[in-house]
Amino acid sequence: TQSTWGAIACFAPTRQCKEDALRNFADQLSRISNDAGMPIIAQPCFCMYANGADQVEAMFKHLADKYRELQLIVIVLPGKTPVYAEVKRVGDTLLGLATQCIQVKNVNKTSPQTLSNLCLKINVKLGGVNNILLPSIRPRIFSEPVMFLGADITHPPAGDEKKPSIAAVVGSMDAHPSRYAATVRVQSHRQEIIGDLSTMIRELLIQFYRGTRFKPLRIIMFRTGVSEGQFHQVLIHELKAIREACVKLEVGYQPGITFVVVQKRHHTRLFCAEKKEQIGKSGNIPAGTTVDTVITHPTEYDFYLCSHAGIQGTSRPSHYHVLWDDNNFCSDDIQNLTYQLCHTYVRCTRSVSIPAPAYYAHLVAFRARYHLIDKDHDSGNGSHSSTHGEEQSL
């Protein structure tokens, strides 16, 4: 329940977004959130119009000083604007305040779908849990403390020869798994290996122990952004870094590690042999379709899993390569676990195309771009209506 839930800052001009529209939006959000089981029981404590990214920091600092119990700031954006990057930089790195951006068009014309998506995001940002895996159907691995890691690197756009690459690693912090903590590092331009991985894993292991009072007995790492030619190089360096982080915390501490690479950029597509099995207008394969024979590698441990329902166009299955497995998973177990993790993504109510930890790592790395003080980028549309929530930024 959110009582002093927050403030609204509108960066759209008054002619674009009238006070009545803001008031109606706050009322509708309160109603939908109540239906969703996370009731907002009070009106926002502050509502103000502003213009320009240069006003963000001063306004947020004023709010943080004046309203000590402030939990959230909702920012209304007038389309594509540099205000988004500044909002995230100030909220995330300077004040540690939860911020939620929304497009002015979605404030003027509210829809239950958009508001529901917004509630999913707000609930998690304020420490809530949206969904968990049913304990009765979870794989056996959950019977002991286990930590799920996701890792990704984002590189600057093509043609840029100066900007750094950003590496992000996220780790699960509870048994559901629902809560995740993130670590980020800036590294040299287009470097494919996470240079400071050992320190990042160490930080996450310490946070896991502080939150649960357990040391994970197993670590499952989902790594994205690696091409097949780099498998050997990445495995040697990053597996060693995870082992190093564990031994530095406690001599003899050697949890079982499973290292899985997730790929989406490939040309393999799967189709139903029989028309009656096709799903939806696009005639795609059903979510959960797994292939681990014939079209996979003859000697290596890999499989294709299409974990999401294809809404538009042909579904692209994700390709998983298990490069290392101390935990002796059988094929069915690792495939089932991967598919279940695709259902734990908090921003939508259906399964997504890659496991949640890998998705979060991608979002964190992408978000960190905005935290680098660079006034050149033009970005940030805020939240928009989405039926499956996969496009929305952190």
Side-chain angles (χ1 to χ4, degrees), residues 152-158 190 192 223-231 261-269 304-305 308 315-321 353-354 362 366:
D152 191 21
I153 299 179
T154 63
H155 300 294
R190 297 210 172 272
E192 294 289 353
R223 173 75 155 88
T224 57
V226 182
S227 62
E228 290 188 25
Q230 299 164 326
F231 282 177
V261 169
V262 187
Q263 291 180 326
K264 278 189 75 177
R265 293 186 181 183
H266 55 77
H267 299 290
T268 305
R269 301 291 181 273
Y304 289 94
L305 168 62
H308 62 294
S315 293
R316 181 190 298 174
S318 296
H319 194 187
Y320 298 88
H321 299 261
S353 57
I354 58 175
H362 172 75
F366 196 74

Side-chain angles (χ1 to χ4, degrees), residues 281-303:
K281 292 179 192 170
S282 304
N284 275 306
I285 52 176
T289 302
T290 308
V291 176
D292 60 2
T293 56
V294 184
I295 61 169
T296 52
H297 198 279
T299 58
E300 291 173 9
Y301 189 176
D302 69 321
F303 61 93

Side-chain angles (χ1 to χ4, degrees), residues 345-373:
Y345 184 64
V346 294
R347 290 189 181 176
C348 56
T349 52
R350 51 203 307 166
S351 59
V352 290
S353 57
I354 58 175
Y359 213 136
Y360 295 148
H362 172 75
L363 293 179
V364 169
F366 196 74
R367 166 65 59 83
R369 270 284 149 219
Y370 295 132
H371 295 163
L372 294 173
I373 300 174

Side-chain angles (χ1 to χ4, degrees), residues 96-144:
L97 264 174
T99 53
Q100 178 59 61
C101 295
I102 183 166
Q103 285 273 31
V104 65
K105 65 183 181 186
N106 292 327
V107 171
N108 287 329
K109 190 180 177 184
T110 58
S111 76
Q113 177 69 66
T114 308
L115 291 171
S116 296
N117 284 348
L118 215 56
C119 286
L120 288 175
K121 297 176 84 175
I122 290 171
N123 188 42
V124 171
K125 287 176 183 182
L126 299 179
V129 174
N130 284 353
N131 52 46
I132 60 169
L133 295 174
L134 270 176
S136 57
I137 60 162
R138 292 192 311 186
R140 286 192 306 273
I141 190 172
F142 283 95
S143 60
E144 297 176 317

